[in-house]
Amino acid sequence: MTRMEDVSVNISLNTMDAAVIRMLEPASPLPAARLETIHRLSDAGVDTSLFVAPVLPLITDAEDGIRGLLTSARERGAVYAMISLLRLSRDVKKWYLATLKLHFPQLVQSYRELYSQGAYAEGDYIRSFKAMAALLLAEFKLDKRTAEMAETIPSLPRRMPEPSKPVTGKELMPEVEQLSFPF
C-alpha cells in the first residue's frame, strides 16, 4: 500500500436514508456508494473525511442518525468528520421550501419559523445542535479539538419553534428574487 502525504478527500453525506437522498438530491450517489468510496480511499492510504452536511432540521438531525453515519464512516477508515447545519440563502430558500412542500409538506411551517431570521436556523436550535454534534465527534474521536473540549459543552434540549402563522404561496414562490452587490 502507498501512503499519500498531504492529500485528503472529503465525502459529504447527511443521511443513511436512501429515500431522502433520492428526494432531495436525485442525481447524487446513494449512501452505500459514498461509504464505499471512504473505505477504498482509506485503504489506499488517503486521509478521508466525512462531511455530515447539510444536516436538515427535522429530517436528518436526529442524534441516532448522525451517530449511525459516524459509526459507518469510522468503520470504513474516516479520520475526521465535520457536522454542519443547513444554511438557506435567499436563492436556495425558495427552492428548498418548494421541495419541502412537495416531499415534506408538514414541515414547511416549522422551517418558516426556524429560518425566520434569515439564512441560519434559530439561535437556541443551533446552540443545542452544535453541542450534540461536538459530543458525537468527541465520542468517535473524529475531531481532536472537539475531543479536548467535549467535557465542557453542556447538553441542551433542542426545541423546534412553533409557527406563528401558515406559510403563504407567495413566500414559497416569490415573483422575483434578486441579488444585489454594492460596489
Side-chain angles (χ1 to χ4, degrees), residues 15 29 32 36 49 55 64 73 76 83 98 105 115 172:
T15 182
E36 178 61 20
S49 302
V55 175
D64 288 346
R76 287 162 179 81
I83 303 172
Y115 285 86
L172 288 176

Side-chain angles (χ1 to χ4, degrees), residues 13 22 66-67 93 134-135:
L13 179 59
R22 278 295 164 254
I66 295 171
R67 181 182 299 282
K93 191 179 245 183
L135 290 171

Side-chain angles (χ1 to χ4, degrees), residues 157-175:
R158 281 186 283 156
R159 178 191 63 79
M160 287 301 297
E162 294 295 321
S164 57
K165 62 182 180 177
V167 177
T168 67
K170 186 171 181 144
E171 288 173 308
L172 288 176
M173 301 298 276
E175 293 175 25

